[in-house]
Amino acid sequence: MEKTSSTPTMKDVAKEAGVALGTVSKVVNGLPVGESYRIRVEEAISKLNYQVNSYAQGLKANRTHTVALLVPNTYLPFFATLVYHINLALLKRKYKMLLCSTDYDPGLEQEYVAMAQQNKVDGIIGLTYNPALVLDDATPFVAIDRSISARIPCVASDNFAGGQMAAEKLADLGCRNVAFLRIGSSLCNEPNKRKAGFENGCLSRGLTYEMKILNDGEPYEKFEDFLREHMQDGKLSFDGIFCVTDTLAHSVIKMLLSLGLHVPDDVQVIGFDGARHFGDQEYICSTIVQPVPEIAEMCVELLLQENRQAKPPLICLPVAYAYGGTTRE
Amino acid sequence: MEKTSSTPTMKDVAKEAGVALGTVSKVVNGLPVGESYRIRVEEAISKLNYQVNSYAQGLKANRTHTVALLVPNTYLPFFATLVYHINLALLKRKYKMLLCSTDYDPGLEQEYVAMAQQNKVDGIIGLTYNPALVLDDATPFVAIDRSISARIPCVASDNFAGGQMAAEKLADLGCRNVAFLRIGSSLCNEPNKRKAGFENGCLSRGLTYEMKILNDGEPYEKFEDFLREHMQDGKLSFDGIFCVTDTLAHSVIKMLLSLGLHVPDDVQVIGFDGARHFGDQEYICSTIVQPVPEIAEMCVELLLQENRQAKPPLICLPVAYAYGGTTRE
């Protein structure tokens, strides 16, 4: 049997075209590559009579060109922006999006997973807080903010770096004694790293700090009690506060005002997420901005990529500080 | 041939069950009715051996149990809330939602209309500003905010009543000389009725008023020029302003502050929509609240209803005033 008659592989196509394996993968999957690369790959495919091996693909050959997105809701600004950018990234690739606002309903989430397993959708992008989610490794799934298993890629902001950035920024702005306020999931997820990053930043910059961490369901009023306990003669002992989300920062700023404190003159506040007034106007507070368009692109890229084996288990994308009026700059 | 052997109609079922035609329709379409009604209808269906006539249904017999939603984007608070509530209303009825953030792209809108015509989705709920949208009357479509044709139902807030309510509220709060600021579509749509309602309210309550209406694309700065032209010795000649949306109100309030004016002491401002901080917290400004959950329910009800002939061309749902800090109460 002549060598040329053996079944050509994607590697052979890459070699023939003189391009990287990833470029062949992109062309085969209809993802954008430079026009000259596309032509070279298509010529090599044609010359070698290469047949796309559907089995090697993470996505099934019998594609629906539909992807499901699971998010808790669409009215929280971070989720609303995420839905928007994931929708754009899918539409750009001629994929349709099934949206499921789960309202944290694990039954609904499981139902969409079943759809993916039955090939009714090509895959799922999911921001889920459901610790009991049953998901086999063969289900095309990209998680946001929470690692589900080593075989399911997780895309998130670099939350650790974001926490550290908040501490360093407060130090740069002249703070010496800061607080970290958090309410949230006891579930092990990526946003929880904001705390460790913040501590790290405080230690490296010599800031003294205190933490007040509430569990899910505990009322925000406990933060007001905490702040009150740290006041003496109308003065707060903290000159900087890092809140785990912009939503919390917004509430804490109202509390500070009601305690007679001025933001940013008496105390500077940094939130996390990058929420904007009306979705696209000015920032609601000074904040660590999550790169939502990049998170969306990455989720869609990873989900639609051919070779699931090669997918990294965790991708953390860079965050940035933005001034929003609640710090000195 | 005996009468009982002729094909029974839905009317016969209604007569047999002693219920209204609409009740039979609901039962047939799996929509909620009182349990006793459901039992009576099901008994009548069984007794008469009634067969659901799929052709008479607006929706095709070969259902996908999927509905497409077209919205310009999901990051504007009104759209984000609408997406959330329509998603809830569909999931409650075991329908899935294909979301398309159109970014005002008419090609994308037309593509989803084609999907409905090819029965790839059961119908469309669309908030579209595309005057060229091609839509035959047989396409299951429910429009939000814009009447597309007499055969396509349109669901909206009662925008006229909302405009009138804003004028009356400003009068109740002591205003005598008010302004109406609008930027927006020249397209004939429901929100445009806010202007006529406001004028009506001003006239009925003896308010003097001025209007400043910008076209799409004109910069917000023109409103600042308008306000400046109406100032003398640091005083604004208006004591009340109605802005056509909360987004505009938010910008106008910033302009007023930069002109050295206090809200609500010097001038009271009312917006329209009912946008809340972080989607579910306090109102961003005093506002006329659109009944988004009710709009969502009505759209889904109408789309999934059996008899399209009987659908009303325009449904206007009641709005309400909410205090949000930019008026005296």
Side-chain angles (χ1 to χ4, degrees), chain B:
Chain B
M1 199 193 286
E2 285 181 49
K3 195 179 180 303
T4 48
S5 74
S6 74
T7 311
T9 66
M10 194 176 280
K11 268 189 189 163
D12 299 330
V13 175
K15 199 175 164 192
E16 175 69 31
V19 301
L21 199 57
T23 309
V24 180
S25 165
K26 282 187 179 170
V27 172
V28 165
N29 286 282
L31 297 173
V33 296
E35 197 51 33
S36 66
Y37 285 98
R38 176 180 308 283
I39 290 165
R40 276 153 69 186
V41 170
E42 282 172 352
E43 282 173 350
I45 285 173
S46 166
K47 184 173 172 196
L48 300 177
N49 193 26
Y50 170 73
Q51 303 290 327
V52 177
N53 178 356
S54 310
Y55 247 94
Q57 297 185 318
L59 297 173
K60 306 297 187 296
N62 183 17
R63 295 196 180 184
T64 62
H65 288 272
T66 303
V67 164
L69 175 65
L70 309 181
V71 286
N73 63 60
T74 68
Y75 58 77
L76 262 182
F78 174 65
F79 298 149
T81 312
L82 192 62
V83 169
Y84 175 69
H85 285 287
I86 290 177
N87 199 221
L88 281 194
L90 287 169
L91 290 170
K92 201 169 78 180
R93 291 167 176 83
K94 304 278 175 209
Y95 270 75
K96 307 239 172 331
M97 183 171 102
L98 271 188
L99 176 70
C100 179
S101 273
T102 63
D103 264 327
Y104 306 96
D105 175 345
L108 260 179
E109 295 184 346
Q110 206 61 59
E111 201 179 304
Y112 280 79
V113 169
M115 286 179 69
Q117 288 165 344
Q118 296 156 14
N119 299 338
K120 289 178 182 167
V121 295
D122 291 352
I124 296 174
I125 298 171
L127 198 163
T128 157
Y129 295 95
N130 173 13
L133 192 67
V134 180
L135 202 60
D136 63 74
D137 287 345
T139 311
F141 196 106
V142 172
I144 298 171
D145 273 358
R146 190 166 79 84
S147 284
I148 293 176
S149 86
R151 294 282 298 277
I152 303 290
C154 171
V155 179
S157 290
D158 191 340
N159 287 282
F160 186 92
Q164 179 157 341
M165 191 181 283
E168 290 172 352
K169 192 71 203 175
L170 288 173
D172 290 346
L173 291 166
C175 297
R176 304 300 311 146
N177 190 14
V178 297
F180 172 68
L181 306 186
R182 185 179 106 184
I183 192 160
S185 179
S186 52
L187 204 69
C188 178
N189 67 15
E190 286 302 308
N192 286 358
K193 294 180 182 171
R194 292 170 197 174
K195 172 178 170 283
F198 186 72
E199 286 191 278
N200 205 49
C202 288
L203 292 171
S204 78
R205 299 296 292 271
L207 296 178
T208 57
Y209 65 93
E210 275 195 57
M211 307 228 162
K212 178 67 182 173
I213 296 177
L214 300 188
N215 294 317
D216 266 334
E218 285 192 272
Y220 271 28
E221 284 71 37
K222 292 205 173 184
F223 287 125
E224 193 162 338
D225 299 339
F226 171 79
L227 294 170
R228 217 184 287 274
E229 288 159 17
H230 286 81
M231 283 188 75
Q232 205 164 18
D233 304 329
K235 247 183 84 67
L236 187 69
S237 62
F238 306 119
D239 48 14
I241 298 178
F242 173 45
C243 296
V244 75
T245 63
D246 291 339
T247 316
L248 178 57
H250 174 73
S251 293
V252 166
I253 289 163
K254 282 193 293 179
M255 287 174 200
L256 292 167
L257 294 177
S258 78
L259 292 170
L261 295 161
H262 295 277
V263 176
D265 295 336
D266 297 329
V267 54
Q268 302 185 71
V269 179
I270 296 182
F272 202 108
D273 279 348
R276 291 165 179 266
H277 284 284
F278 295 96
D280 60 356
Q281 298 190 21
E282 79 277 18
Y283 290 105
I284 286 168
C285 57
S286 296
T287 182
I288 306 299
V289 183
Q290 296 210 53
V292 178
E294 290 76 15
I295 291 173
E297 273 290 320
M298 184 59 71
C299 288
V300 172
E301 269 290 317
L302 281 175
L303 189 68
L304 303 183
Q305 251 176 22
E306 181 179 353
N307 187 352
R308 284 180 61 78
Q309 311 296 340
K311 289 185 183 178
L314 174 63
I315 295 181
C316 295
L317 297 171
V319 295
Y321 170 77
Y323 169 73
T326 57
T327 46
R328 295 211 181 120
E329 62 189 54

Side-chain angles (χ1 to χ4, degrees), chain A residues 205-223:
Chain A
R205 298 296 292 270
L207 297 177
T208 57
Y209 65 93
E210 275 195 55
M211 307 225 162
K212 178 67 181 174
I213 296 177
L214 301 188
N215 294 319
D216 265 335
E218 285 192 90
Y220 272 28
E221 284 72 37
K222 292 207 172 179
F223 287 125

Side-chain angles (χ1 to χ4, degrees), chain A residues 16-315:
Chain A
E16 174 71 29
V19 301
L21 199 57
T23 309
V24 180
S25 165
K26 282 186 178 169
V27 172
V28 165
N29 285 283
L31 298 174
V33 296
E35 196 51 32
S36 65
Y37 286 97
R38 177 181 308 285
I39 291 166
R40 275 155 68 187
V41 170
E42 282 171 354
E43 282 173 350
I45 285 174
S46 167
K47 183 172 171 194
L48 300 177
N49 194 25
Y50 169 73
Q51 303 290 328
V52 177
N53 178 356
S54 309
Y55 246 95
Q57 297 186 318
L59 298 171
K60 306 298 187 294
N62 184 17
R63 294 195 182 185
T64 61
H65 287 273
T66 303
V67 164
L69 175 65
L70 309 181
V71 286
N73 62 60
T74 68
Y75 58 77
L76 261 183
F78 175 65
F79 298 148
T81 311
L82 192 63
V83 169
Y84 175 69
H85 285 286
I86 290 176
N87 198 222
L88 280 194
L90 287 169
L91 290 171
K92 199 168 80 181
R93 293 167 176 82
K94 305 278 174 208
Y95 270 74
K96 307 242 175 319
M97 183 172 103
L98 270 188
L99 176 69
C100 178
S101 272
T102 63
D103 264 328
Y104 306 95
D105 175 347
L108 261 179
E109 294 185 344
Q110 206 61 60
E111 202 179 301
Y112 280 79
V113 169
M115 286 179 70
Q117 289 165 345
Q118 296 155 15
N119 298 340
K120 289 177 182 168
V121 295
D122 291 351
I124 297 175
I125 298 170
L127 199 162
T128 156
Y129 295 94
N130 172 14
L133 192 67
V134 180
L135 201 61
D136 62 76
D137 287 345
T139 312
F141 196 106
V142 172
I144 298 172
D145 273 357
R146 190 166 78 84
S147 284
I148 293 176
S149 88
R151 292 283 297 280
I152 303 289
C154 171
V155 179
S157 290
D158 190 338
N159 287 281
F160 185 92
Q164 179 157 339
M165 190 181 284
E168 290 172 350
K169 191 73 202 173
L170 288 173
D172 289 346
L173 292 166
C175 297
R176 302 301 310 148
N177 191 14
V178 297
F180 173 68
L181 306 186
R182 186 179 106 183
I183 190 159
S185 178
S186 52
L187 204 67
C188 178
N189 66 15
E190 286 303 309
N192 286 358
K193 294 181 182 171
R194 293 170 196 173
K195 171 176 170 285
F198 186 73
E199 286 191 277
N200 205 47
C202 288
L203 292 172
S204 78
R205 298 296 292 270
L207 297 177
T208 57
Y209 65 93
E210 275 195 55
M211 307 225 162
K212 178 67 181 174
I213 296 177
L214 301 188
N215 294 319
D216 265 335
E218 285 192 90
Y220 272 28
E221 284 72 37
K222 292 207 172 179
F223 287 125
E224 193 162 339
D225 298 341
F226 171 79
L227 293 171
R228 217 184 288 275
E229 287 160 17
H230 288 81
M231 282 186 76
Q232 205 163 18
D233 304 328
K235 247 182 82 67
L236 187 69
S237 62
F238 306 118
D239 48 15
I241 298 178
F242 173 45
C243 296
V244 75
T245 63
D246 292 338
T247 317
L248 179 58
H250 173 72
S251 293
V252 166
I253 289 163
K254 283 193 291 180
M255 286 173 199
L256 292 167
L257 293 177
S258 78
L259 292 170
L261 295 161
H262 295 277
V263 176
D265 296 336
D266 297 331
V267 54
Q268 302 184 73
V269 179
I270 296 181
F272 203 110
D273 279 349
R276 290 165 180 265
H277 284 283
F278 294 96
D280 60 357
Q281 298 189 22
E282 78 277 18
Y283 290 105
I284 285 168
C285 57
S286 296
T287 182
I288 306 298
V289 184
Q290 296 209 52
V292 179
E294 289 76 15
I295 291 173
E297 273 290 319
M298 185 59 72
C299 287
V300 171
E301 270 288 317
L302 281 175
L303 188 68
L304 303 183
Q305 251 176 24
E306 180 180 354
N307 187 350
R308 285 181 60 78
Q309 312 295 341
K311 289 186 183 177
L314 174 62
I315 295 182

